[in-house]
Amino acid sequence: MKHGYKKHEKELYCPKDTPHLLRVPKQKFFCIEGQGDPNKEDFTERVGVLYTLSYAVRMMPKNGFIPNGYFEYTVYPLEGIWDLTENGRNLTYLDKNELLYTIMIRQPDFVTDEVVKKAFEIAHKKKPDSLLKEAYFTEIEDGLSVQILHTGSYDTEPQSFGKMIDFIEQNNYKRRLLTHREIYLSDVRKTETSKLKTILRYTIEDKYRHF
């Protein structure tokens, strides 16, 4: 049976439309960093590099290489960790040209350094791209987090962020990082703006964990 993230990992990918806690385990990602307005071509090209690498892994058996532990799966959705430049933080409005981002696509647990190397080889042969050299593989553990499902335009996300901030304050939590994560469940090219579904997430300090 094909592993579908929406079916088999509902806690992570089928959230409520109200703020709620969850613990996000360590996950593997192909990532690439950038700066500027995500509506511009540079962002689109960086997204393309991530999908090229991700489908290189997904289709490896058809290219004569079967990773140890490989299983059929649906490619995970695009995600992004968003921040602002120092100049952007000092503005009273959001200037999208001052956005800093790390966009990424999660990879299955069977992906190892060997699989990553093979994916880059396949990607380079299939679709040579100068941005490939900027992509990298890493593991990230968000840990205790607050997330919410936002439906609608990306420009109205502050309404959902406000709900999460209220939830964090009312429950005496603190944000661990100033950045936030977005997980894009909808294809912006095929989905009406009012129906776009995006997971928004803040990582928070675990007040019950003792170090």
Side-chain angles (χ1 to χ4, degrees):
M1 181 183 296
K2 180 186 289 189
H3 179 89
Y5 58 85
K6 289 184 179 180
K7 181 177 180 180
H8 296 97
E9 300 179 78
K10 290 183 178 181
E11 183 183 23
L12 293 173
Y13 299 103
C14 298
K16 306 170 186 176
D17 58 3
T18 55
H20 56 282
L21 292 173
L22 77 162
R23 191 174 294 279
V24 184
K26 184 179 291 185
Q27 299 172 334
K28 300 180 177 183
F29 294 94
F30 281 126
C31 305
I32 191 168
E33 298 172 6
Q35 177 179 340
D37 189 337
N39 296 304
K40 294 184 177 179
E41 186 63 25
D42 181 66
F43 182 84
T44 301
E45 291 176 353
R46 291 173 188 277
V47 171
V49 167
L50 294 178
Y51 275 107
T52 298
L53 288 167
S54 296
Y55 276 98
V57 174
R58 172 70 177 79
M59 305 303 290
M60 275 184 183
K62 292 189 177 182
N63 285 290
F65 180 79
I66 303 178
N68 185 37
Y70 181 90
F71 54 84
E72 292 286 328
Y73 66 96
T74 301
V75 171
Y76 285 92
L78 180 71
E79 305 187 25
I81 296 177
W82 294 88
D83 201 352
L84 284 166
T85 64
E86 184 175 351
N87 181 58
R89 289 185 181 277
N90 291 326
L91 297 175
T92 57
Y93 62 94
L94 175 61
D95 182 346
K96 292 183 179 180
N97 292 311
E98 298 296 330
L99 286 168
L100 296 172
Y101 58 81
T102 302
I103 49 175
M104 60 194 73
I105 296 178
R106 184 181 167 191
Q107 301 303 305
D109 289 341
F110 67 75
V111 174
T112 61
D113 290 342
E114 179 187 15
V115 175
V116 170
K117 182 179 179 181
K118 186 70 175 178
F120 273 93
E121 291 174 356
I122 294 172
H124 183 72
K125 291 178 181 178
K126 183 177 181 180
K127 190 178 179 181
D129 192 316
S130 60
L131 287 175
L132 266 175
K133 66 180 182 297
E134 295 186 35
Y136 60 93
F137 178 74
T138 192
E139 293 185 81
I140 301 172
E141 183 174 2
D142 281 355
L144 189 63
S145 304
V146 173
Q147 73 177 20
I148 191 172
L149 176 65
H150 175 78
T151 301
S153 170
Y154 301 133
D155 291 334
T156 62
E157 288 179 350
Q159 299 171 16
S160 294
F161 283 124
K163 293 178 182 178
M164 287 199 293
I165 290 172
D166 288 344
F167 177 89
I168 290 169
E169 291 177 349
Q170 290 167 7
N171 290 277
N172 297 316
Y173 284 102
K174 292 182 180 179
R175 287 173 60 185
R176 185 156 53 87
L177 300 169
L178 293 177
T179 58
H180 72 272
R181 180 182 293 273
E182 300 186 3
I183 303 175
Y184 308 102
L185 301 179
S186 305
D187 186 336
V188 69
R189 300 167 301 175
K190 303 175 182 178
T191 308
E192 185 180 324
T193 300
S194 63
K195 297 180 179 179
L196 290 172
K197 294 187 180 299
T198 309
I199 298 172
L200 306 179
R201 182 185 298 160
Y202 284 135
T203 60
I204 58 176
E205 295 181 4
D206 191 338
K207 60 186 178 183
Y208 300 111
R209 178 174 291 180
H210 298 285
F211 296 93

